[in-house]
Amino acid sequence: TTTTTTKPTKISSSEMSSVSSSSSSHQSHSQSSQSHSSSHSNIDHSQASKRPLQGQTENVSTQKKQKVSNNDNSLSAQAIAMFELIDGFRKSKVLFVSVQLGIYDLLQAFGSASASMIAQKIETNLAETVKLLDACVGLGLIQRKNYMIQTKSGRPEQSPATYIYSNTPTALQLLCSKSPTCIIEHILQIDRISYPTWSNLVLTIKDGRSALEETFSTPSQDTLLEKIYTTTHSQLDYVVEKHSYRSLSAQFVVKAFDLSAFGPENTTMIFTEIGSMTGHLSLQVIKEYPNFGANVLLHPSHSRWSNIFIQQLPATILGKIRYSVFDHLNEDNIPKSNVIALGDVLLVNNNFKFEKIITKQRNFFKQTKIKINN
């Protein structure tokens, strides 16, 4: 929603004098006209009545100026939105670099730190580090306190080298590796894989070539991930953080739908998630709706990594969720379900298979007379 306001017009002293003079002249002329009309009472006023009054003329002029001003403000809002689109990548890159340099973990370890200390710890140029830190302040990721220093002349001054920086609550929750909701690995993956891949988007649009393959000379993202995360520990870190990131959005997705319409609370409903890495949606569903059980059909390429994550889940959760690997060549292996969620598997399979899956499930719904929304 854009709110537009019209600023009052500034009038110079010379213009004010002109207005004042004009007003006095008009008042004098008005008095003269009244005297003239009293001596000539038979004047025809019909022509005068057709002329707009001065106040009406000024009102029309003001409305026109207001309209122009509103248009200018609207154009300014559109221009700002356009600038955001043009420069948005700079904000992303500031986030990527600050995460890559470990600034947020450093600030968490020390509580707060000066720019000079941060530059020394991460071995970077002080002047450029100050610019990066201040950019993070502008993005709401870091907060800054300014302290005065005593110069040789005895005058207190501010120096960027003595600025004290600390994490904001957002950074503490999402950008520090010790946080249970940390998404550092996801951010680094975006920087390593997605960011350069999207630079080749025009190739995909023009002739359908894979931007990923053009960028990294690899046929799939799964193959690329295996080259990046080579140890069990690194793979677990990646899966856990991917789950953390997707769980944040899963909360909003699940709350956007009223799944209570699929059956009474005392009836067990089945939620099936296809192509997931960890079952983030299913975990949120059974949390919001205790009468739901879930089937998670893991993405084939991620199943080995997923098993590392699944082993960390408590027994109470595993008692309500059944994990298996999705076979995209056989739609018959999908269990009868009340709700189906299609995940990353959509990226590697054609729509025809899923049309058959949905048709089969709809037939099941009709037989059991369970309501389904289009």
Side-chain angles (χ1 to χ4, degrees), residues 6-202:
T6 304
K7 296 181 179 179
T9 306
K10 295 182 179 180
I11 302 177
S12 64
S13 57
S14 59
E15 290 173 326
M16 184 65 76
S17 300
S18 174
V19 171
S20 176
S21 173
S22 174
S23 176
S24 300
S25 174
H26 175 70
Q27 185 176 4
S28 174
H29 176 73
S30 176
Q31 292 173 349
S32 174
S33 297
Q34 289 176 358
S35 174
H36 181 71
S37 63
S38 62
S39 59
H40 301 278
S41 58
N42 60 344
I43 291 179
D44 183 7
H45 295 282
S46 61
Q47 295 300 321
S49 65
K50 295 180 181 179
R51 294 194 302 270
L53 297 177
Q54 184 177 0
Q56 292 176 332
T57 303
E58 291 175 350
N59 187 42
V60 171
S61 177
T62 301
Q63 290 176 351
K64 289 182 179 179
K65 290 179 179 178
Q66 177 81 22
K67 186 175 182 180
V68 171
S69 178
N70 287 341
N71 288 338
D72 289 344
N73 287 334
S74 178
L75 181 61
S76 297
Q78 293 173 6
I80 291 173
M82 180 60 67
F83 295 152
E84 287 289 332
L85 290 175
I86 295 171
D87 290 333
F89 74 96
R90 301 187 185 193
K91 297 179 181 180
S92 298
K93 205 61 182 176
V94 165
L95 171 63
F96 297 158
V97 171
S98 59
V99 167
Q100 183 180 352
L101 292 173
I103 289 176
Y104 305 100
D105 278 342
L106 188 151
L107 290 176
Q108 185 186 35
F110 289 94
S112 61
S114 65
S116 56
M117 177 182 174
I118 294 171
Q120 182 181 6
K121 290 290 184 181
I122 63 177
E123 300 179 346
T124 53
N125 178 276
L126 175 58
E128 299 306 319
T129 301
V130 170
K131 294 177 184 178
L132 175 64
L133 292 169
D134 286 344
C136 292
V137 171
L139 294 177
L141 304 174
I142 293 176
Q143 49 196 2
R144 186 186 82 184
K145 290 183 179 179
N146 304 339
Y147 288 90
M148 308 297 289
I149 60 172
Q150 201 77 14
T151 62
K152 293 181 179 180
S153 61
R155 293 187 307 172
E157 292 182 356
Q158 287 186 1
S159 170
T162 62
Y163 291 161
I164 303 299
Y165 298 89
S166 58
N167 285 324
T168 62
T170 299
L172 287 171
Q173 181 184 8
L174 301 176
L175 304 179
C176 294
S177 57
K178 292 184 178 179
S179 170
T181 55
C182 172
I183 58 172
I184 287 179
E185 279 301 326
H186 176 73
I187 292 173
L188 293 177
Q189 183 200 332
I190 295 295
D191 187 30
R192 293 169 184 162
I193 301 176
S194 300
Y195 195 87
T197 300
W198 277 75
S199 297
N200 287 322
L201 176 63
V202 66

Side-chain angles (χ1 to χ4, degrees), residues 255-266:
K255 289 181 179 179
F257 298 92
D258 182 12
L259 301 186
S260 63
F262 289 93
E265 293 185 1
N266 59 351

Side-chain angles (χ1 to χ4, degrees), residues 279-310:
H280 57 283
L281 272 176
S282 298
L283 288 166
Q284 191 63 34
V285 166
I286 64 175
K287 180 180 178 181
E288 293 288 331
Y289 299 92
N291 64 314
F292 264 87
N295 293 300
V296 177
L297 305 186
L298 299 169
H299 193 295
S301 301
H302 299 155
S303 59
R304 180 170 56 85
W305 295 21
S306 300
N307 287 330
I308 302 173
F309 170 81
I310 295 168

